[in-house]
Amino acid sequence: MPPLRDEPRPIFDWLFAVAVLAVAATYVRAIYFTPLEAAQGPAQKILYVHATAAFVGLYLCFGLVAVASLLYLWLKDEKLDRAAAAAAEVGVVFTTVVLCTGPLWGKPIWGAWWTWDARLTLTLFLWFVGVGYIILRGAVEEPQMRARFSAVLGILAALLVPFIHLSVYLFRTLHPMPILLKPSAPSMPGEMQLTFFMAFVAFTLLFAAFLRARYRLAVRADLLAAREEGLL
Amino acid sequence: MPADAVVRARPGLLRAALLIAAKDLAIELRTRSAILSALAFTLLAVVIFFFAWDATAVASIDLAPGVLWVIFTFSGLLALNRSFALEQNDRALDALLASPVDRESIFLGKALGNLVFVCLIQACAIPAVALFYNLPLTGVWPALLALTVAAAVGLVSVGTLFSAMATNTRMAELLLPMLALPFFVPVVMPAAQVTARLLAGRPMDEAWPWLRILLAFDLVFLVACTLAFPYTLED
Amino acid sequence: MGLRSSTLRARAVIVNRMPLAAASPLISAASVTAPSAPMLEAQGVTRVYGRRKALDGVSLSLPAGSCLALFGPNGAGKTTLLRILAGLLRPTRGTVLLAGSPTRGDAAARAQVGLLSHQSMLYDALTVRENIVFTARLYGVRDPLAATDASLERLGMLERAEQPVRALSRGLQQRVSIARAIVHGPRVLLLDEPYTGLDEAGAGALTSLLSELRAQGATLVLVTHNLAEGLALATQAAVMRAGRLVRQDDREAIDGASYAEEYREMVTNAG
């Protein structure tokens, strides 16, 4: 195992600053410079946050957890374990945003805060699994055991997604199908598309900044643990 | 010198799994602690659920499937909690790991023991629900039993794996439900939906999409958990 | 090894007809045939936990019929070494060879090893006999019931065979654990503090059992704090400290009193 390097703590996190600026710019554009959607009115603007947070939380973060977990069991590299742990925590943050903004939009549009719609339910269950993942990590002390356990959970969670999706879909579904990612031409005016695109970029930057910060924190935590054991 | 000079007939994957399952059931038969508490829990829950709903507003035939399968998951958790606890007590698990038995075999054996346990409890829960909720079971019960086995395979695959992990943590009894319950969703939902259609006497092709999900879940998670189990052990 | 298997097969018959004490030995003399290759060998075995080295380049070579007494203070890595030799843990680096072939993750190799650990490794709800028969079946012993009775007899536990393990005292449980470790006739027996909790009769029975097994060609590794116990049976002695073998001698070269003196110094200087 390579020795841990104690990197000097960065005084200023440039990536984080850029990400925050990008998110702020997206908000300004979404609120002031993007036309109102005819049917939904101002409520539609929350989708710039909601849909992009869902993209980052569900696809980027939990996708990264699954990939890093699988690779960890193969390569047993502690960097992969840290990456999975960081991605899981960031993922829980973003899915929390999704779960909070969803009802805000749903109340005026669907007439209810919550509906047991397929995507909503899937997000909720992934949030539960994510929280379970964080609690599991907190409950195991031995680092290698913690890494193996959480990797197993990360992989099983990835296998669970299609099953929950299928069962809640079969239960019933109301959710608007994602318009942007459909293979056919997106049915949305160009200005809105551009705002969505900006939001995706901004949130992806924010994701990268969070992930990097959380990863560095994990390195420092490992360093501290090693010091406490008198190994460094 | 061939290894079989010392031991002639090392048990194969299935035989070793059967030995381990039989051992677990023998322990259960001797102590009876888990099976009795699970049964008592099941009966209590059946009764409490009945009073939690207004029986004049909701027909009991609509209530029963949900009650049956919710109880199934929670009594299953009782069984799963103790599954690896009894291996950890005097580190008997080390003896299993040091023996010439594959780790996959150990998992299958533990899962099989849990499967029998969970099915036994459900075999008591179904008549209890039928009795208290006044359900017509004639003609339906063979299908219900088959459904129980199908649901139990999925529940036990995931549950046994998480039980192996949870017993190594600081908060075993709390952690197991937290990890396992989200994974039980694709088991409980199809099971309840199929039961509802069975009780209502609907044609089976209405239940088929749900059964497909359940059977696919069984297959995927039985394989995945068997393969993942060795990674939960120190090595 | 036709001779061996016929001995084992014969045992079941003998057990039924003769007083158990006269039953043929658990390890047949036939296995003491190939003195060329060492029975148990460790080459540069290293085990790392996180950033901590529990074992650091341990090498051993034990011929059949030898007994290694392994001494060392707490945390020296004795138990980790035993667990690696037993196939419970994989070495991070290095290899363990059993009768000349590497054992890494090999079920057939594990079948030839018996392990007695700190914990009883028994199911306390089951009876003594159920515990041992279960083990015998896991190892694929041909006649599990006869082998169980034979090994319980060796430890003087036959008359308690129907008692549940939880009803036994610590010392009697230790005897059951020993019976569990030898029921499949292991060619390598790994013992972690085997005398713990045993009374005088139990300790005497264990010593005569171990020397008999050794004479029949079994290879023993005996981990202990007690120099006298260890040296009584050993053909070799080794001292571990901080994950390393710091000293290794043949038994003949050791003078009990001065060895004890040097050992005390070695351990107290550990820092």
Side-chain angles (χ1 to χ4, degrees), chain B residues 1-11 15-17 19-24 26-28 30-31 86-103 110 234-235, chain C residues 1 4-5 8-9 31 33 47 49 83 86-90 107-112 115 117 119-127 130 134 137-142 166 180 184-187:
Chain B
M1 195 183 308
D4 51 60
V6 176
V7 172
R8 241 75 39 71
R10 268 194 301 118
R15 165 131 178 86
L19 279 172
I20 291 167
K23 181 266 301 171
D24 275 6
I27 291 176
E28 196 43 56
R30 198 59 51 74
T31 58
L86 66 90
E87 299 289 349
Q88 291 283 359
N89 268 344
D90 294 301
R91 295 295 306 170
L93 185 61
D94 282 350
L96 289 183
L97 295 175
S99 76
V101 161
D102 291 325
R103 280 143 193 237
K110 299 300 288 180
E234 189 180 24
D235 103 337
Chain C
M1 301 269 18
R4 221 200 117 63
S5 50
L8 269 177
R9 215 172 294 130
S31 48
T33 41
R47 171 75 195 194
Y49 288 106
R83 290 171 73 86
L88 272 176
L89 288 179
R90 287 170 197 250
R110 288 202 299 274
Q112 307 187 52
L115 172 68
S117 121
Q119 291 91 352
S120 73
M121 304 204 291
L122 302 168
Y123 299 99
D124 62 4
L126 297 180
T127 66
E130 285 168 333
F134 172 62
R137 292 210 165 110
L138 277 186
Y139 282 83
V141 173
R142 173 142 306 173
R166 71 154 56 97
R180 202 200 63 80
H184 56 293
R187 299 162 71 194

Side-chain angles (χ1 to χ4, degrees), chain A residues 10 35 42-43 84-85 153 182 192-193:
Chain A
L153 180 59
K182 260 202 304 205
M192 285 189 192
Q193 270 183 54

